Amino acid sequence: MVNSGIREFEPKDVFGWTCSLIIDFQDLAQNGMPTREESDIVLDYFEKLDADIRGDEIHPNALFLARITWNGTFEAIWQVNNPKIVHEYLQKNNSQEVMPTRNGLQNRISC
């Protein structure tokens, strides 16, 4: 899923940083896609994470770019204005209690 709404967005230079979250699925169905149960866990997590990373709706800190599921992985990509805010949020919330780790899901974050 790609956010085509930002295609005409002008102040792209304000969001000069890229943040990428990759989750490696463990339970795969056909063609490297996750099982329904594992997909639901990750998508529920993504919805909350996306809202928290973007922040204020009127003056967001990040713009959602894309969500990609393929070859046993889920990746979400944002363009970010202030990476320090996102980094601090992810450091605070990067724990097994918060991140989806059922069945040993592995997470890779790069901001």
Side-chain angles (χ1 to χ4, degrees), residues 19 21 44-55 61 78 82-95 98-99 109 111:
C19 179
L21 166 76
D44 288 345
Y45 171 72
F46 165 75
E47 293 297 324
K48 180 184 180 340
L49 180 70
D50 179 52
D52 291 345
I53 285 178
R54 284 185 290 132
N61 185 50
W78 297 265
N82 184 344
K84 184 177 180 181
I85 294 170
V86 176
H87 176 76
E88 289 173 358
Y89 171 82
L90 292 171
Q91 291 300 310
K92 178 181 170 190
N93 293 290
N94 188 12
S95 69
V98 179
M99 300 286 269
I109 301 170
C111 287

Side-chain angles (χ1 to χ4, degrees), residues 21-38:
L21 166 76
I22 299 173
I23 297 175
D24 297 315
F25 291 109
Q26 300 299 311
D27 292 335
L28 300 178
Q30 295 178 337
N31 300 320
M33 297 301 286
T35 62
R36 170 62 97 188
E37 181 182 18
E38 197 161 81

